[in-house]
Amino acid sequence: MGLTLKYVQRTSSGAWRYRRRIPDRLQTVLNKTEFVQKLGDSEAEALRRYPTVHQAVEQALAKAKANAELSDPAANQGPFG
């Protein structure tokens, strides 16, 4: 039984990468549709780099969400204002 990390894939060449789709509403803020970054050629290297890459992506998404909310506050209001 192997370890499964969210957003991690093994490429056809055997390398490991982090691949995560960006939500539609944030794609215009970030000017891209997904994050893709090579984690390494070995499983050990991928496990070592994963926390840093994942944290950077989470921070970028949080910042983009905050920017999107600032630029369009009405988009985040409920049906009753």
Side-chain angles (χ1 to χ4, degrees), residues 3 5 7 14-15 18-19 25 27-29 32-35 37-39 42 44-45 53-54 56 64 70 72 78-79:
L3 178 66
L5 296 173
Y7 312 115
Y18 184 97
R19 183 170 182 237
R25 62 190 169 85
Q27 289 178 6
T28 55
V29 176
K32 57 173 109 180
T33 58
E34 65 183 3
F35 290 104
Q37 184 159 353
K38 184 176 178 180
L39 294 174
S42 69
E45 187 178 3
V53 172
H54 183 67
L70 288 175
D72 190 10

Side-chain angles (χ1 to χ4, degrees), residues 1-60:
M1 180 154 125
L3 178 66
T4 302
L5 296 173
K6 199 167 187 180
Y7 312 115
V8 174
Q9 300 173 335
R10 191 160 196 185
T11 66
S12 59
S13 66
W16 295 88
R17 72 177 175 189
Y18 184 97
R19 183 170 182 237
R20 183 171 180 180
R21 189 179 174 288
I22 297 172
D24 293 339
R25 62 190 169 85
L26 300 180
Q27 289 178 6
T28 55
V29 176
L30 292 167
N31 295 320
K32 57 173 109 180
T33 58
E34 65 183 3
F35 290 104
V36 179
Q37 184 159 353
K38 184 176 178 180
L39 294 174
D41 292 322
S42 69
E43 188 173 353
E45 187 178 3
L47 286 170
R48 192 170 48 255
R49 293 195 65 214
Y50 176 83
T52 305
V53 172
H54 183 67
Q55 182 179 16
V57 169
E58 288 289 329
Q59 288 175 347

